[in-house]
Amino acid sequence: MPSQTAKILTKLKTILKEHKPDALAILGDVKYTVTSSELAEWQDIPVFFKKLQPLVKKISVVRGNHDANLEPLLPENVEMLPATGVVIGDVGIFHGHKWPSPALLGCKTLVMGHMHPVVVSVTRWVAG
């Protein structure tokens, strides 16, 4: 499957320009590979974050199950957060492959990532 980085970047930049947030938290699975990093990830991920940095003061990534060895790909000022999540205000955010920390369980609202979108090519066969 081809990289979706450019498409995601375009959509995210549009949202950031419209809403002008002070911070952005990405809920994990920045990478596709689980334990290593492919060449395309070494190329795409640093550029992705560098293009977001002018649009938002603080960028954080909650570690997802695909984010082993992600740190070398991130610009210095992108913060890595634990997979068990963090509390921002009264909202707990976490990736979802690990049980949330006890602090999150006291939050009124929890936001979880760990979504696995699928692209499917469908061919219709018509009986003749």
Side-chain angles (χ1 to χ4, degrees), residues 29-43 45-46 49 61-75 78 80-81 83 97:
D29 286 358
V30 171
K31 297 186 321 87
Y32 175 75
T33 55
V34 177
T35 58
S36 62
S37 298
E38 293 180 352
L39 178 59
E41 292 170 331
W42 279 93
Q43 296 166 341
I45 292 171
F49 284 100
V61 176
V62 176
R63 185 179 301 281
N65 57 306
H66 286 247
D67 294 330
N69 303 310
L70 177 61
E71 289 87 342
L73 306 178
L74 297 176
V78 174
M80 282 296 297
L81 301 172
H97 73 292

Side-chain angles (χ1 to χ4, degrees), residues 4-65:
Q4 300 298 301
T5 304
K7 190 179 206 179
I8 294 168
L9 180 61
T10 299
K11 288 182 179 185
L12 190 50
K13 285 172 63 176
T14 300
I15 292 167
L16 293 173
K17 287 176 185 175
E18 181 179 341
H19 295 283
K20 298 176 179 48
D22 293 328
L24 170 67
I26 297 177
L27 301 185
D29 286 358
V30 171
K31 297 186 321 87
Y32 175 75
T33 55
V34 177
T35 58
S36 62
S37 298
E38 293 180 352
L39 178 59
E41 292 170 331
W42 279 93
Q43 296 166 341
D44 288 351
I45 292 171
V47 171
F48 176 83
F49 284 100
K50 285 179 183 173
K51 288 186 176 183
L52 291 177
Q53 287 176 321
L55 303 174
V56 63
K57 292 178 186 174
K58 180 179 180 182
I59 301 175
S60 303
V61 176
V62 176
R63 185 179 301 281
N65 57 306

